[in-house]
Amino acid sequence: MPRVLAIETSCDETAVAVVAADAAWPGFAPRQLSSVVASQIDLHAAYGGVVPEVASRQHVETLPFVLERALQQAGLEVAEVDAIAVTCAPGLVGSLLVGLMGAKTLALLYDKPLIGVHHLEGHLFSGFLAEPDLRPPCLCLLVSGGHTSLIWMKDYGDYQTVGRTRDDAAGEAFDKVARLLGLGYPGGPQIDRWAQQGDPQRFPLPEGKVEHPYDTSFSGLKTAVLRLVQQLQQQGQELPIADIAASFQARLTGALAQKAVACAEALGLSTLLLTGGVAANRELRARLTEAARQRGLRVVIPPLALCTDNAAMIGAAGLCHWLRGEVSPLELGVASRMPLEGIPSLYLGGGGAHTEEQTGSAAAVL
Ligand code: KG4
Ligand code: ZN
């Protein structure tokens, strides 16, 4: 049974997991033997957002403990896994480097192949962990604090981004509107909670206008909420937080669900995968499920622990590359940005290691 140890430190979660493949390729069926996530959310809450320098220092402190616990939970030693997978792009450079250096150290010490993983490809693989019978092709709506993308997964390793945000990511829009309403960070869960008691029709807010049918824009919606708040404050009114939250949430999630379903239909795809931190949103889950049901599409929404950043999804993607014979050179670097089309460049024979920010060879660093 092939097994991969995976490390994820691209943003504010320090995560390690061990993932195994239950079925022989191409059946795949990845299964997590352990998954440990240490969130830094409390640390960054005081600043109202993630502070990169604070994040990377915390990863350095936490990673050894998370690694130890993940191995303990799996009942394995590093020597017993087949490869070390690690997120190398996109993300915060300092944070990515901590995970990559940790992975390179383990790869060198235990003489294991290194497998760099694109963070967004990891998110796609949360679907395969959740539902072992899932197979490409499918359309993935990835909504997080940093991304709002519609990704067409044609096959393992073959992806095309068919929709993206022109400005704020969905989670970012939730966080900014929550701040306007005086709610805490992260704002998504707060808006979700307040919206439960609100009237989604009280304030008709505009949907961002974009010419591309599957792209999104939330800055107009955010500005409309700002104007509404200012207007109500000028009138000396107490803010109807629940109604504003519900109106904003309905508009944003309605747009996402409608675009995802229309895109799946246009591409002739019968399966929709929803993932990323914003997949926690109850209204989005309900709207997408209902819109898909009306069109006879299958919707896969992994459990929340797999939707938010975790290392199991990185391990599942890494395992897929391992089974396909793709490993990364030890000179692999990190990149703050990388399109999904850059994935082949992470593997030997795929055009060399992509290095926007070169980190040098492992030997030189160690
Ligand atoms: O995927 P994630 O955990 O981290 C990255 O951005 O990589 O996503 C975090 C985002 C935050 O913006 C947070 O406000 C949002 O997901 N979020 C939610 C909910 N829970 C988390 N947004 C809307 N409704 C929620 N229930
Ligand atoms: Zn993520």
mmCIF file of all heavy atoms in Angstrom, residues 304-343:
data_model
loop_
_atom_site.group_PDB
_atom_site.id
_atom_site.type_symbol
_atom_site.label_atom_id
_atom_site.label_comp_id
_atom_site.label_asym_id
_atom_site.label_seq_id
_atom_site.Cartn_x
_atom_site.Cartn_y
_atom_site.Cartn_z
ATOM 1 N N LEU A 304 -15.999 19.517 6.438
ATOM 2 C CA LEU A 304 -15.314 20.796 6.595
ATOM 3 C C LEU A 304 -13.802 20.683 6.822
ATOM 4 O O LEU A 304 -13.018 21.475 6.297
ATOM 5 C CB LEU A 304 -15.957 21.558 7.755
ATOM 6 C CG LEU A 304 -15.681 23.035 7.725
ATOM 7 C CD1 LEU A 304 -16.133 23.623 6.405
ATOM 8 C CD2 LEU A 304 -16.362 23.697 8.893
ATOM 9 N N ALA A 305 -13.412 19.681 7.588
ATOM 10 C CA ALA A 305 -11.977 19.527 7.897
ATOM 11 C C ALA A 305 -11.161 19.300 6.626
ATOM 12 O O ALA A 305 -9.958 19.562 6.601
ATOM 13 C CB ALA A 305 -11.774 18.367 8.864
ATOM 14 N N LEU A 306 -11.818 18.813 5.569
ATOM 15 C CA LEU A 306 -11.105 18.604 4.299
ATOM 16 C C LEU A 306 -11.224 19.819 3.379
ATOM 17 O O LEU A 306 -10.441 19.980 2.444
ATOM 18 C CB LEU A 306 -11.657 17.369 3.581
ATOM 19 C CG LEU A 306 -11.232 16.023 4.154
ATOM 20 C CD1 LEU A 306 -12.021 14.897 3.498
ATOM 21 C CD2 LEU A 306 -9.737 15.786 3.966
ATOM 22 N N CYS A 307 -12.235 20.672 3.630
ATOM 23 C CA CYS A 307 -12.437 21.865 2.794
ATOM 24 C C CYS A 307 -11.445 22.967 3.169
ATOM 25 O O CYS A 307 -10.934 23.677 2.306
ATOM 26 C CB CYS A 307 -13.849 22.407 2.960
ATOM 27 S SG CYS A 307 -15.097 21.411 2.155
ATOM 28 N N THR A 308 -11.217 23.139 4.481
ATOM 29 C CA THR A 308 -10.265 24.166 4.915
ATOM 30 C C THR A 308 -8.856 23.589 4.734
ATOM 31 O O THR A 308 -8.698 22.391 4.478
ATOM 32 C CB THR A 308 -10.507 24.535 6.386
ATOM 33 O OG1 THR A 308 -10.548 23.335 7.140
ATOM 34 C CG2 THR A 308 -11.829 25.252 6.564
ATOM 35 N N ASP A 309 -7.844 24.450 4.857
ATOM 36 C CA ASP A 309 -6.483 23.985 4.591
ATOM 37 C C ASP A 309 -6.093 22.823 5.503
ATOM 38 O O ASP A 309 -6.289 22.872 6.722
ATOM 39 C CB ASP A 309 -5.494 25.150 4.763
ATOM 40 C CG ASP A 309 -5.590 26.112 3.585
ATOM 41 O OD1 ASP A 309 -6.271 25.774 2.606
ATOM 42 O OD2 ASP A 309 -4.970 27.184 3.655
ATOM 43 N N ASN A 310 -5.554 21.790 4.888
ATOM 44 C CA ASN A 310 -5.131 20.590 5.628
ATOM 45 C C ASN A 310 -4.066 19.882 4.804
ATOM 46 O O ASN A 310 -3.892 20.184 3.615
ATOM 47 C CB ASN A 310 -6.349 19.673 5.867
ATOM 48 C CG ASN A 310 -6.908 19.116 4.581
ATOM 49 O OD1 ASN A 310 -6.484 18.064 4.110
ATOM 50 N ND2 ASN A 310 -7.830 19.830 3.938
ATOM 51 N N ALA A 311 -3.361 18.955 5.428
ATOM 52 C CA ALA A 311 -2.287 18.276 4.703
ATOM 53 C C ALA A 311 -2.764 16.990 4.036
ATOM 54 O O ALA A 311 -2.091 16.472 3.141
ATOM 55 C CB ALA A 311 -1.121 17.979 5.644
ATOM 56 N N ALA A 312 -3.932 16.475 4.448
ATOM 57 C CA ALA A 312 -4.423 15.228 3.837
ATOM 58 C C ALA A 312 -4.659 15.434 2.341
ATOM 59 O O ALA A 312 -4.322 14.585 1.516
ATOM 60 C CB ALA A 312 -5.708 14.778 4.532
ATOM 61 N N MET A 313 -5.217 16.611 1.989
ATOM 62 C CA MET A 313 -5.482 16.866 0.563
ATOM 63 C C MET A 313 -4.166 17.000 -0.211
ATOM 64 O O MET A 313 -4.075 16.588 -1.371
ATOM 65 C CB MET A 313 -6.345 18.129 0.399
ATOM 66 C CG MET A 313 -5.664 19.415 0.827
ATOM 67 S SD MET A 313 -6.792 20.829 0.707
ATOM 68 C CE MET A 313 -5.614 22.202 0.852
ATOM 69 N N ILE A 314 -3.152 17.535 0.437
ATOM 70 C CA ILE A 314 -1.839 17.656 -0.207
ATOM 71 C C ILE A 314 -1.245 16.256 -0.385
ATOM 72 O O ILE A 314 -0.648 15.940 -1.421
ATOM 73 C CB ILE A 314 -0.887 18.545 0.639
ATOM 74 C CG1 ILE A 314 -1.508 19.938 0.869
ATOM 75 C CG2 ILE A 314 0.514 18.636 0.022
ATOM 76 C CD1 ILE A 314 -1.823 20.720 -0.395
ATOM 77 N N GLY A 315 -1.462 15.403 0.628
ATOM 78 C CA GLY A 315 -0.976 14.026 0.556
ATOM 79 C C GLY A 315 -1.677 13.259 -0.566
ATOM 80 O O GLY A 315 -1.047 12.475 -1.287
ATOM 81 N N ALA A 316 -2.990 13.487 -0.721
ATOM 82 C CA ALA A 316 -3.739 12.782 -1.773
ATOM 83 C C ALA A 316 -3.228 13.201 -3.155
ATOM 84 O O ALA A 316 -3.017 12.357 -4.035
ATOM 85 C CB ALA A 316 -5.230 13.072 -1.639
ATOM 86 N N ALA A 317 -3.003 14.510 -3.344
ATOM 87 C CA ALA A 317 -2.474 14.983 -4.634
ATOM 88 C C ALA A 317 -1.057 14.446 -4.830
ATOM 89 O O ALA A 317 -0.693 13.994 -5.928
ATOM 90 C CB ALA A 317 -2.479 16.507 -4.687
ATOM 91 N N GLY A 318 -0.257 14.473 -3.762
ATOM 92 C CA GLY A 318 1.127 13.978 -3.841
ATOM 93 C C GLY A 318 1.163 12.497 -4.192
ATOM 94 O O GLY A 318 1.980 12.041 -4.992
ATOM 95 N N LEU A 319 0.243 11.762 -3.591
ATOM 96 C CA LEU A 319 0.169 10.320 -3.844
ATOM 97 C C LEU A 319 -0.147 10.058 -5.315
ATOM 98 O O LEU A 319 0.406 9.144 -5.940
ATOM 99 C CB LEU A 319 -0.935 9.750 -2.957
ATOM 100 C CG LEU A 319 -1.013 8.257 -2.740
ATOM 101 C CD1 LEU A 319 0.305 7.689 -2.263
ATOM 102 C CD2 LEU A 319 -2.110 7.956 -1.719
ATOM 103 N N CYS A 320 -1.048 10.866 -5.862
ATOM 104 C CA CYS A 320 -1.413 10.725 -7.273
ATOM 105 C C CYS A 320 -0.174 10.932 -8.146
ATOM 106 O O CYS A 320 0.077 10.159 -9.078
ATOM 107 C CB CYS A 320 -2.510 11.733 -7.605
ATOM 108 S SG CYS A 320 -3.092 11.608 -9.293
ATOM 109 N N HIS A 321 0.619 11.966 -7.832
ATOM 110 C CA HIS A 321 1.845 12.201 -8.610
ATOM 111 C C HIS A 321 2.828 11.045 -8.438
ATOM 112 O O HIS A 321 3.472 10.610 -9.384
ATOM 113 C CB HIS A 321 2.490 13.526 -8.192
ATOM 114 C CG HIS A 321 1.737 14.722 -8.693
ATOM 115 N ND1 HIS A 321 1.692 15.059 -10.032
ATOM 116 C CD2 HIS A 321 0.957 15.627 -8.058
ATOM 117 C CE1 HIS A 321 0.928 16.129 -10.190
ATOM 118 N NE2 HIS A 321 0.467 16.491 -9.006
ATOM 119 N N TRP A 322 2.925 10.564 -7.216
ATOM 120 C CA TRP A 322 3.838 9.440 -6.937
ATOM 121 C C TRP A 322 3.438 8.212 -7.759
ATOM 122 O O TRP A 322 4.266 7.568 -8.401
ATOM 123 C CB TRP A 322 3.798 9.144 -5.421
ATOM 124 C CG TRP A 322 4.357 7.813 -5.013
ATOM 125 C CD1 TRP A 322 3.653 6.750 -4.530
ATOM 126 C CD2 TRP A 322 5.730 7.408 -5.050
ATOM 127 N NE1 TRP A 322 4.496 5.712 -4.261
ATOM 128 C CE2 TRP A 322 5.774 6.082 -4.567
ATOM 129 C CE3 TRP A 322 6.915 8.026 -5.441
ATOM 130 C CZ2 TRP A 322 6.965 5.369 -4.466
ATOM 131 C CZ3 TRP A 322 8.096 7.313 -5.344
ATOM 132 C CH2 TRP A 322 8.115 6.000 -4.863
ATOM 133 N N LEU A 323 2.131 7.915 -7.783
ATOM 134 C CA LEU A 323 1.644 6.754 -8.537
ATOM 135 C C LEU A 323 1.846 6.940 -10.041
ATOM 136 O O LEU A 323 1.966 5.972 -10.780
ATOM 137 C CB LEU A 323 0.150 6.508 -8.230
ATOM 138 C CG LEU A 323 -0.129 6.047 -6.792
ATOM 139 C CD1 LEU A 323 -1.621 6.099 -6.489
ATOM 140 C CD2 LEU A 323 0.389 4.628 -6.559
ATOM 141 N N ARG A 324 1.885 8.198 -10.478
ATOM 142 C CA ARG A 324 2.124 8.479 -11.902
ATOM 143 C C ARG A 324 3.612 8.591 -12.213
ATOM 144 O O ARG A 324 4.001 8.949 -13.325
ATOM 145 C CB ARG A 324 1.424 9.782 -12.292
ATOM 146 C CG ARG A 324 -0.096 9.654 -12.357
ATOM 147 C CD ARG A 324 -0.787 10.984 -12.113
ATOM 148 N NE ARG A 324 -0.310 12.036 -12.985
ATOM 149 C CZ ARG A 324 -0.891 12.376 -14.130
ATOM 150 N NH1 ARG A 324 -1.963 11.730 -14.530
ATOM 151 N NH2 ARG A 324 -0.415 13.331 -14.876
ATOM 152 N N GLY A 325 4.453 8.350 -11.210
ATOM 153 C CA GLY A 325 5.900 8.373 -11.422
ATOM 154 C C GLY A 325 6.482 9.772 -11.473
ATOM 155 O O GLY A 325 7.558 9.981 -12.041
ATOM 156 N N GLU A 326 5.778 10.750 -10.889
ATOM 157 C CA GLU A 326 6.272 12.132 -10.927
ATOM 158 C C GLU A 326 6.846 12.537 -9.580
ATOM 159 O O GLU A 326 6.136 12.552 -8.568
ATOM 160 C CB GLU A 326 5.119 13.081 -11.297
ATOM 161 C CG GLU A 326 4.626 12.865 -12.711
ATOM 162 C CD GLU A 326 3.296 13.545 -13.013
ATOM 163 O OE1 GLU A 326 2.558 13.854 -12.070
ATOM 164 O OE2 GLU A 326 2.996 13.729 -14.196
ATOM 165 N N VAL A 327 8.129 12.858 -9.558
ATOM 166 C CA VAL A 327 8.760 13.347 -8.327
ATOM 167 C C VAL A 327 9.491 14.658 -8.645
ATOM 168 O O VAL A 327 9.821 14.934 -9.794
ATOM 169 C CB VAL A 327 9.738 12.318 -7.696
ATOM 170 C CG1 VAL A 327 9.019 11.059 -7.282
ATOM 171 C CG2 VAL A 327 10.875 12.001 -8.647
ATOM 172 N N SER A 328 9.738 15.444 -7.585
ATOM 173 C CA SER A 328 10.357 16.758 -7.781
ATOM 174 C C SER A 328 11.853 16.702 -7.517
ATOM 175 O O SER A 328 12.316 15.872 -6.734
ATOM 176 C CB SER A 328 9.730 17.774 -6.819
ATOM 177 O OG SER A 328 8.347 17.820 -6.998
ATOM 178 N N PRO A 329 12.611 17.614 -8.129
ATOM 179 C CA PRO A 329 14.036 17.683 -7.826
ATOM 180 C C PRO A 329 14.243 18.317 -6.448
ATOM 181 O O PRO A 329 13.396 19.079 -5.983
ATOM 182 C CB PRO A 329 14.575 18.609 -8.917
ATOM 183 C CG PRO A 329 13.410 19.446 -9.306
ATOM 184 C CD PRO A 329 12.181 18.614 -9.105
ATOM 185 N N LEU A 330 15.360 18.016 -5.814
ATOM 186 C CA LEU A 330 15.625 18.597 -4.487
ATOM 187 C C LEU A 330 15.878 20.100 -4.561
ATOM 188 O O LEU A 330 15.893 20.778 -3.548
ATOM 189 C CB LEU A 330 16.809 17.888 -3.825
ATOM 190 C CG LEU A 330 16.456 16.670 -2.983
ATOM 191 C CD1 LEU A 330 17.688 16.039 -2.375
ATOM 192 C CD2 LEU A 330 15.459 17.032 -1.880
ATOM 193 N N GLU A 331 16.087 20.617 -5.768
ATOM 194 C CA GLU A 331 16.301 22.064 -5.942
ATOM 195 C C GLU A 331 14.962 22.814 -5.969
ATOM 196 O O GLU A 331 14.941 24.032 -6.168
ATOM 197 C CB GLU A 331 17.034 22.369 -7.261
ATOM 198 C CG GLU A 331 18.462 21.915 -7.320
ATOM 199 C CD GLU A 331 18.575 20.415 -7.527
ATOM 200 O OE1 GLU A 331 17.650 19.812 -8.118
ATOM 201 O OE2 GLU A 331 19.586 19.835 -7.074
ATOM 202 N N LEU A 332 13.862 22.103 -5.804
ATOM 203 C CA LEU A 332 12.536 22.724 -5.866
ATOM 204 C C LEU A 332 12.480 23.987 -5.001
ATOM 205 O O LEU A 332 12.993 24.004 -3.883
ATOM 206 C CB LEU A 332 11.504 21.714 -5.344
ATOM 207 C CG LEU A 332 10.040 22.121 -5.417
ATOM 208 C CD1 LEU A 332 9.557 22.090 -6.865
ATOM 209 C CD2 LEU A 332 9.184 21.176 -4.579
ATOM 210 N N GLY A 333 11.872 25.034 -5.547
ATOM 211 C CA GLY A 333 11.714 26.275 -4.792
ATOM 212 C C GLY A 333 10.250 26.531 -4.474
ATOM 213 O O GLY A 333 9.392 25.687 -4.740
ATOM 214 N N VAL A 334 9.970 27.682 -3.886
ATOM 215 C CA VAL A 334 8.579 28.040 -3.606
ATOM 216 C C VAL A 334 8.180 29.195 -4.516
ATOM 217 O O VAL A 334 9.040 29.900 -5.041
ATOM 218 C CB VAL A 334 8.376 28.450 -2.129
ATOM 219 C CG1 VAL A 334 8.751 27.319 -1.203
ATOM 220 C CG2 VAL A 334 9.152 29.713 -1.792
ATOM 221 N N ALA A 335 6.892 29.384 -4.706
ATOM 222 C CA ALA A 335 6.407 30.505 -5.511
ATOM 223 C C ALA A 335 5.143 31.055 -4.876
ATOM 224 O O ALA A 335 4.255 30.287 -4.490
ATOM 225 C CB ALA A 335 6.116 30.038 -6.941
ATOM 226 N N SER A 336 5.080 32.369 -4.742
ATOM 227 C CA SER A 336 3.897 32.975 -4.114
ATOM 228 C C SER A 336 2.683 32.840 -5.028
ATOM 229 O O SER A 336 1.558 32.760 -4.569
ATOM 230 C CB SER A 336 4.160 34.446 -3.800
ATOM 231 O OG SER A 336 4.517 35.128 -4.987
ATOM 232 N N ARG A 337 2.950 32.856 -6.340
ATOM 233 C CA ARG A 337 1.861 32.694 -7.313
ATOM 234 C C ARG A 337 2.257 31.649 -8.324
ATOM 235 O O ARG A 337 3.431 31.556 -8.694
ATOM 236 C CB ARG A 337 1.625 34.004 -8.050
ATOM 237 C CG ARG A 337 0.858 35.026 -7.263
ATOM 238 C CD ARG A 337 0.507 36.178 -8.173
ATOM 239 N NE ARG A 337 1.726 36.765 -8.715
ATOM 240 C CZ ARG A 337 2.297 37.856 -8.237
ATOM 241 N NH1 ARG A 337 1.756 38.461 -7.222
ATOM 242 N NH2 ARG A 337 3.394 38.326 -8.777
ATOM 243 N N MET A 338 1.297 30.883 -8.767
ATOM 244 C CA MET A 338 1.561 29.924 -9.841
ATOM 245 C C MET A 338 0.231 29.458 -10.410
ATOM 246 O O MET A 338 -0.636 28.998 -9.670
ATOM 247 C CB MET A 338 2.333 28.703 -9.303
ATOM 248 C CG MET A 338 2.680 27.706 -10.408
ATOM 249 S SD MET A 338 3.321 26.163 -9.787
ATOM 250 C CE MET A 338 4.991 26.638 -9.468
ATOM 251 N N PRO A 339 0.031 29.585 -11.716
ATOM 252 C CA PRO A 339 -1.223 29.069 -12.273
ATOM 253 C C PRO A 339 -1.211 27.540 -12.244
ATOM 254 O O PRO A 339 -0.136 26.926 -12.142
ATOM 255 C CB PRO A 339 -1.196 29.584 -13.720
ATOM 256 C CG PRO A 339 0.239 29.819 -14.025
ATOM 257 C CD PRO A 339 0.928 30.139 -12.730
ATOM 258 N N LEU A 340 -2.372 26.941 -12.327
ATOM 259 C CA LEU A 340 -2.442 25.474 -12.328
ATOM 260 C C LEU A 340 -1.660 24.887 -13.498
ATOM 261 O O LEU A 340 -1.143 23.775 -13.415
ATOM 262 C CB LEU A 340 -3.910 25.036 -12.433
ATOM 263 C CG LEU A 340 -4.711 25.100 -11.142
ATOM 264 C CD1 LEU A 340 -6.191 25.002 -11.435
ATOM 265 C CD2 LEU A 340 -4.291 23.987 -10.191
ATOM 266 N N GLU A 341 -1.553 25.658 -14.563
ATOM 267 C CA GLU A 341 -0.816 25.201 -15.752
ATOM 268 C C GLU A 341 0.669 25.015 -15.441
ATOM 269 O O GLU A 341 1.400 24.387 -16.196
ATOM 270 C CB GLU A 341 -0.984 26.192 -16.907
ATOM 271 C CG GLU A 341 -2.383 26.237 -17.523
ATOM 272 C CD GLU A 341 -3.451 26.883 -16.627
ATOM 273 O OE1 GLU A 341 -3.083 27.636 -15.691
ATOM 274 O OE2 GLU A 341 -4.646 26.618 -16.849
ATOM 275 N N GLY A 342 1.140 25.576 -14.317
ATOM 276 C CA GLY A 342 2.554 25.459 -13.948
ATOM 277 C C GLY A 342 2.882 24.132 -13.281
ATOM 278 O O GLY A 342 4.054 23.835 -13.019
ATOM 279 N N ILE A 343 1.864 23.317 -12.992
ATOM 280 C CA ILE A 343 2.089 22.079 -12.234
ATOM 281 C C ILE A 343 3.152 21.159 -12.857
ATOM 282 O O ILE A 343 4.031 20.679 -12.140
ATOM 283 C CB ILE A 343 0.746 21.334 -11.987
ATOM 284 C CG1 ILE A 343 -0.083 22.147 -10.990
ATOM 285 C CG2 ILE A 343 0.976 19.920 -11.475
ATOM 286 C CD1 ILE A 343 -1.472 21.603 -10.739
#
